[in-house]
Amino acid sequence: MAERTPPAGVAEAAARHGLGAHRATHLGAQPPDNSGCCLGVVAVSAVIAVVLFAVGSAGVALVPLALLLLALLSLAIDRSTGRRNTGLRMDRFEHGLTVTRADGPVRVVRYADTELRQVIIRHTGVGGYTDYHYTLVDVDGAELELRARSDGVAARGRFTEPKVWGPELQQDVTAAQFPKALAAVRSGRRVAFGSVWVTADAVGIRDRSVPWSQVGEVRVANGQVRLTGGGSGRALLAFGASLPNLYVFLDLADELRPRRG
């Protein structure tokens, strides 16, 4: 986590939208510096290729030439990715965040007003990794994507440290929106999370609903939210976990379903 004073443009935008105190900065992912290794491979491969051509082994010389080209390609890709992520930064504040790219505008998100969706995909097997994809709505109503990968592989638009800012982002949005959502439900209104809705008496998706009195447990697993009956384990309702403001919904569910000792 980079503890950096935000640039003047970021600080001004944060102040204008009432984001409060600065908490942390997260930068765009950068590829590891393999330039020394790649240049070494290039130099050795070039020497070997020249020697083989000189002694009349042109066919064998194709092998070091191929290695030379691969090393040059790897170096070019790393440098291109590094340039594309230069200036990419996320600044998290008490009441929201900003995202900036090199020579781009400051994008601003307020936790109290945004919609947050998350998709986390775990890739198993040798060299397994996790993809993190968060989508928010900024103060102008446009979608803003925050992406990262657990193994730190750099690509355009990816941030570092998703295990730090991902959970804290969910906590901040939930803290800002849960009290308002609970008050709305208790006053008799319906609160929507995409196609899922909640009232004081029931939870539903589109035209199908289940009374809270029948809900025993709410679980999130394998990309789904499952509401089961008390003691039976039977799914009463199930839907994708990518609904907006998932953790606000989960806190509401915990508040509204019956308490069973």
Side-chain angles (χ1 to χ4, degrees), residues 1-256:
M1 184 185 301
E3 297 293 345
R4 290 177 169 84
T5 302
V10 170
E12 188 278 330
R16 186 170 68 251
H17 291 280
L19 301 190
H22 185 258
R23 287 181 172 174
T25 299
H26 306 276
L27 303 178
Q30 296 292 319
D33 186 5
N34 295 324
S35 58
C37 177
C38 288
L39 291 174
V41 171
V42 168
V44 172
S45 299
V47 170
I48 294 174
V50 169
V51 171
L52 289 173
F53 273 114
V55 299
S57 300
V60 180
L62 293 177
V63 174
L65 281 177
L67 291 174
L68 185 151
L69 291 174
L70 286 173
L72 288 174
L73 178 61
S74 176
L75 188 60
I77 290 172
D78 284 353
R79 288 183 175 176
S80 174
T81 300
R83 285 195 299 270
R84 286 181 295 181
N85 281 346
T86 298
L88 176 63
R89 61 182 286 151
M90 178 199 324
D91 286 279
R92 292 193 294 117
F93 296 81
E94 184 181 4
H95 303 300
L97 61 81
T98 63
V99 171
T100 53
R101 302 176 188 273
D103 302 322
V106 180
R107 304 283 301 275
V108 180
V109 171
R110 282 183 50 84
Y111 297 142
D113 308 322
T114 194
E115 284 190 355
L116 170 60
R117 298 174 185 264
Q118 76 170 34
V119 177
I120 298 177
I121 302 174
R122 291 175 175 83
H123 302 268
T124 59
V126 177
Y129 61 91
T130 303
D131 266 319
Y132 299 86
H133 189 172
Y134 295 83
T135 305
L136 302 103
V137 176
D138 69 12
V139 293
D140 297 318
E143 287 191 349
L144 173 63
E145 293 186 345
L146 307 177
R147 298 188 297 124
R149 230 170 89 159
S150 62
D151 56 6
V153 170
R156 185 175 184 178
R158 284 192 186 141
F159 287 94
T160 58
E161 306 170 307
K163 292 183 180 179
V164 175
W165 55 260
E168 292 184 3
L169 177 59
Q170 288 285 12
Q171 292 169 12
D172 289 337
V173 170
T174 302
Q177 297 198 23
F178 172 70
K180 181 171 62 177
L182 181 60
V185 167
R186 285 180 169 168
S187 68
R189 285 181 285 166
R190 174 186 286 198
V191 175
F193 299 87
S195 58
V196 177
W197 53 265
V198 171
T199 67
D201 301 315
V203 54
I205 177 168
R206 299 183 184 87
D207 57 353
R208 183 185 175 194
S209 64
V210 174
W212 284 116
S213 59
Q214 296 181 13
V215 177
E217 193 172 24
V218 180
R219 290 184 179 180
V220 182
N222 301 320
Q224 274 203 326
V225 180
R226 292 171 57 88
L227 284 70
T228 60
S232 68
R234 181 175 61 89
L236 304 173
L237 205 63
F239 43 84
S242 60
L243 75 161
N245 298 337
L246 169 65
Y247 286 82
V248 178
F249 169 82
L250 294 176
D251 279 6
L252 274 180
D254 192 54
E255 187 73 26
L256 297 171

